[in-house]
Amino acid sequence: MSNQRGSITKRNGSWGFSFSFHDESGVQRKIRKSDRAWKQKDAQKALSETIAHADAGHGFGTAKTTVAEYLLSWLEQYEGSGHVKQTTTETTRAHINAYLLPYIGSLALKDLRPMRIKRLYSDLLASGGTGAGKTSAGKPLSPKTVRNIAGTLHKALSDAVRMGVIATNPTTNLDLPKWEKPEMKIWDERDIGNFLTFSFANDDLMFPIWMLLFSTGLRCGEVCGIRWNDVDFVESSISIKETRVIAGKHGVVTTSPKSRAGTRRLQIDSNTLDALARHKDAQEASASLLGSSCFALVATDADGKPIHPRALARRFQASSKRCGLPEIRLHDIRHTHASLLIASGESLPLISHRLGHGRISTTLDTYAHRLPSADREASDRFGLTIENAMKNASKKK
């Protein structure tokens, strides 16, 4: 006999019951008990008492839960919450499987101490981790990567504290590896002009994509996710509704923008709009030759296959190298766009909107070092405005 909470059975002449439950760490466990002296009704009574014990919030002596058991159970719930992007869960899973489980997975969760975690961070920095299951030192991890792994562990253990699984979070107040953002590399107007002129003269298939990136500051995943339905040729605008990003073992996936602010509508200039129109004509001609329907995405190869985000980045690197320009990443086009907007005196709210930042503070934190020169230029422009106003006033006298 069974129900959704447990079951009673008779084996080898003994009545007993089994009951599955999630312990205080979120780990699924099963209790089995039997007694030769029990009758069927005794086993049913024991099962009912066990269920009542669990419903009252009492434990069953599962203090031996390991870090591995907790992290894997937490990850399952984290992935199933529906509130986290697939790319985030894939990164979290990689942190847990590759670094946390091999090194601290065998420890009892209640015995995890700050000093042990500190040794983990040091080991990851030195050799990429040499915990259980690793027979030799690996490649040292960067401070930024170790900080990301630490963030995953901190989140998991914070949830454990919130749910009453452990009393305190052993990662709290631990010093993390120092990391400084790499110096931002951007192009100036002359570099952009040289690159786009070179790209156009050499019939670069990606010329319209480069135009779109420089004129909007889109993220790589955003430009890869734009469909022709998102391009308004009448209003000279594009709508960012989806992104195509790399999600670990799942490859490239289509998902919503990075944040709510990432879903936005941007105006584009006439030159970029013209480049997109000619690109669409070329795509339609290719589709006709291939006997296929019109391509849905803007960023495709000549055969209509979507451009892989990494392939787009490699193409940009190759094109800029052939052009003989200073080396920058594809993502640095975004920084270039923002820096030029700041230099031209555009407001931070407008720049933040174009970049799809959730908060203006993010824009300010990222580009604060660009503001002093923009401030000087704004001061000069304002001074010139006052000077001209005074001259006009003097002429009227």
Side-chain angles (χ1 to χ4, degrees), residues 54-69:
D55 289 345
H58 300 302
F60 292 94
T62 58
K64 292 184 179 180
T65 297
T66 65
V67 173
E69 288 176 323

Side-chain angles (χ1 to χ4, degrees), residues 227-246:
R227 298 174 180 273
W228 286 116
N229 289 338
D230 303 325
V231 181
D232 189 331
F233 286 98
V234 176
E235 296 295 328
S236 298
S237 67
I238 57 170
S239 297
I240 292 83
K241 301 175 182 177
E242 296 178 332
T243 65
R244 295 184 66 250
V245 293
I246 302 169

Side-chain angles (χ1 to χ4, degrees), residues 162-268:
R162 182 171 53 83
M163 294 184 295
V165 177
I166 53 178
T168 59
N169 187 340
T171 67
T172 302
N173 298 324
L174 277 181
D175 292 332
L176 297 178
K178 291 185 178 180
W179 174 75
E180 295 183 1
K181 287 186 177 180
E183 182 181 357
M184 190 179 294
K185 296 180 179 180
I186 63 172
W187 282 350
D188 58 23
E189 297 96 323
R190 184 176 179 179
D191 292 329
I192 297 172
N194 287 335
F195 175 78
L196 292 176
T197 300
F198 177 86
S199 176
F200 180 77
N202 286 273
D203 296 322
D204 187 346
L205 181 65
M206 293 294 104
F207 171 74
I209 307 302
W210 308 145
M211 285 284 290
L212 186 59
L213 285 168
F214 276 110
S215 65
T216 60
L218 293 179
R219 300 176 177 93
C220 179
E222 290 174 340
V223 77
C224 287
I226 290 180
R227 298 174 180 273
W228 286 116
N229 289 338
D230 303 325
V231 181
D232 189 331
F233 286 98
V234 176
E235 296 295 328
S236 298
S237 67
I238 57 170
S239 297
I240 292 83
K241 301 175 182 177
E242 296 178 332
T243 65
R244 295 184 66 250
V245 293
I246 302 169
K249 64 182 181 181
H250 296 285
V252 178
V253 298
T254 300
T255 183
S256 58
K258 192 173 183 179
S259 65
R260 182 177 297 179
T263 302
R264 59 202 189 279
R265 185 169 178 264
L266 300 177
Q267 295 298 133
I268 54 177

Side-chain angles (χ1 to χ4, degrees), residues 361-378:
S361 59
T362 301
T363 311
L364 184 60
D365 290 343
T366 306
Y367 301 104
H369 63 292
R370 297 286 171 186
L371 292 176
S373 59
D375 183 50
R376 286 194 298 272
E377 293 171 3

